Amino acid sequence: REVKKFDKRVIILGSNGFVASNVKKQIQNKFNVVDVSRREIDFLKKNSTNKLKKIIYDNFGIKVNYIKLYKVKKFTLINMFK
């Protein structure tokens, strides 16, 4: 991955999806974007939390002890770019 020199870093999960890819386009010139696609982490698999912990540690230097994933049936999309 090419690392740009910005002070602020953002992780985007599902980066190839419609919403995430458009968010990435909007912020990639202001932030270091760490984009994670389903090819890298499939959250339906059991080892996904360990992979996410490693990506967070490798890119942000933060050690995560616990991650819990929940299935969401309904969500509301908020327009951040009005």
Side-chain angles (χ1 to χ4, degrees):
R1 297 177 194 226
E2 179 185 337
V3 178
K4 295 180 183 174
K5 294 185 178 181
F6 297 111
D7 291 337
K8 297 178 183 178
R9 290 175 274 179
V10 174
I11 188 167
I12 297 180
L13 305 176
S15 61
N16 291 336
F18 177 76
V19 173
S21 63
N22 283 292
V23 169
K24 185 169 92 172
K25 286 177 190 175
Q26 294 288 325
I27 68 170
Q28 66 186 357
N29 293 325
K30 299 175 186 171
F31 298 94
N32 277 332
V33 175
V34 178
D35 53 336
V36 180
S37 68
R38 185 183 300 168
R39 283 181 230 139
E40 293 174 85
I41 299 179
D42 184 351
F43 287 106
L44 298 177
K45 295 185 179 179
K46 290 185 178 185
N47 67 343
S48 63
T49 55
N50 291 332
K51 288 182 179 182
L52 181 58
K53 287 179 188 180
K54 181 172 178 9
I55 288 173
I56 291 171
Y57 183 76
D58 289 349
N59 290 282
F60 296 88
I62 299 171
K63 183 171 171 69
V64 177
N65 292 317
Y66 182 78
I67 294 177
K68 179 66 178 172
L69 301 175
Y70 295 94
K71 290 184 180 179
V72 177
K73 294 182 180 181
K74 183 179 178 182
F75 70 94
T76 303
L77 180 62
I78 300 169
N79 186 356
M80 301 182 326
F81 307 106
K82 290 183 180 179

